[in-house]
Amino acid sequence: MRLGILGSGAGSNMAAIAEQCASGALPAVVTVVLSDVENAGILTRARDMGLSATFIQPGQYRTKLDEAAEEQFVRVLKEAEVEWVVLAGFMRLIKADFLKHFWHKVINIHPSLLPSFPGLEAWQQALDYGVKFTGCTVHIVDHGIDTGPILGQETVPVLDADTPQSLHARIQEAERRLYPAIIHALAMEDIRIQGRRSFQK
Ligand code: GAR
């Protein structure tokens, strides 16, 4: 299974996935890592792992890609013959013109138990709300914000002493388990989607 990974941040999810590909634990290959942030840790980390890593200028908007950037992301992914697009901390919305090229082949990890706390800083939202459990979710990307069919979730406790940083770190530990496990299931064609529901063999 050929993966293209998109991220804007430190790249801990990308590294967890790429390590498992390299060790053979995941029957997949990371063909390209792309970022909208020139100095993002994900690019340095990918290059250190010997992966192809490219910055693409996102254009004039703050929360989405402009048309030219979107075309360039799609072109690079197609040239690399990517089958699944893996969003790993990619902080811009993916719009219909991009999605139509990879419909139901774009997955995302979100740091909460969706549909609770979509959008930014979900760990802070969980603390502010006062929930006792939160977690992370891997889902198919559709036209909404963090709304597509859910493929897997892992719960994480919220502790009394938690700060935003400690809670996010605990969620990220769970992310590094969940994301490779779901990609493994996709590679084995073990996941079937019917409407909003997914079923794992
Ligand atoms: C992860 O915690 C991911 O869930 C979050 O960004 C972080 C990226 O970390 N994504 C979102 O908030 C998307 N809305 P990483 O760069 O170390 O993988």
Side-chain angles (χ1 to χ4, degrees):
M1 182 162 79
R2 296 175 68 81
L3 309 175
I5 302 187
L6 273 56
S8 314
S12 65
N13 279 289
M14 180 284 300
I17 294 161
E19 271 160 23
Q20 292 210 13
C21 290
S23 76
L26 251 182
V29 54
V30 178
T31 59
V32 70
V33 175
L34 303 177
S35 183
D36 58 325
V37 178
E38 195 161 16
N39 60 355
I42 190 171
L43 291 177
T44 327
R45 232 160 150 169
R47 288 181 192 123
D48 288 348
M49 296 177 86
L51 300 171
S52 153
T54 306
F55 161 67
I56 296 178
Q57 181 67 246
Q60 56 183 311
Y61 307 112
R62 205 172 46 83
T63 57
K64 60 181 183 178
L65 300 168
D66 75 9
E67 209 174 303
E70 200 168 65
E71 277 172 15
Q72 213 185 331
F73 270 87
V74 169
R75 189 171 49 74
V76 174
L77 291 165
K78 294 261 181 203
E79 277 170 10
E81 295 177 17
V82 161
E83 294 165 283
W84 284 88
V85 178
V86 176
L87 305 185
F90 191 67
M91 299 313 282
R92 287 171 194 268
L93 302 176
I94 302 284
K95 298 199 313 299
D97 280 343
F98 182 123
L99 287 178
K100 74 180 181 213
H101 294 280
F102 296 98
W103 186 243
H104 272 210
K105 293 282 186 183
V106 182
I107 55 177
N108 181 43
I109 189 146
H110 183 77
S112 75
L113 296 175
L114 289 171
S116 291
F117 315 131
L120 294 177
E121 299 198 336
W123 57 91
Q124 180 71 59
Q125 295 185 53
L127 277 180
D128 291 345
Y129 197 92
V131 292
K132 299 297 183 192
F133 288 91
T134 183
C136 52
T137 302
V138 175
H139 66 94
I140 298 273
V141 176
D142 67 6
H143 297 305
I145 298 177
D146 302 326
T147 52
I150 289 173
L151 303 179
Q153 296 185 302
E154 185 171 328
T155 54
V156 165
V158 180
L159 306 181
D160 291 347
D162 265 332
T163 61
Q165 293 72 26
S166 66
L167 180 56
H168 190 204
R170 192 173 313 111
I171 293 170
Q172 286 197 301
E173 256 176 60
E175 290 183 345
R176 292 194 288 270
R177 282 188 295 272
L178 181 67
Y179 220 175
I182 296 296
I183 292 169
H184 190 273
L186 289 171
M188 304 310 284
E189 298 188 350
D190 275 351
I191 298 184
R192 180 169 59 84
I193 297 165
Q194 206 179 316
R196 286 205 51 81
R197 297 183 68 191
S198 73
F199 303 87
Q200 213 173 123
K201 278 182 211 154

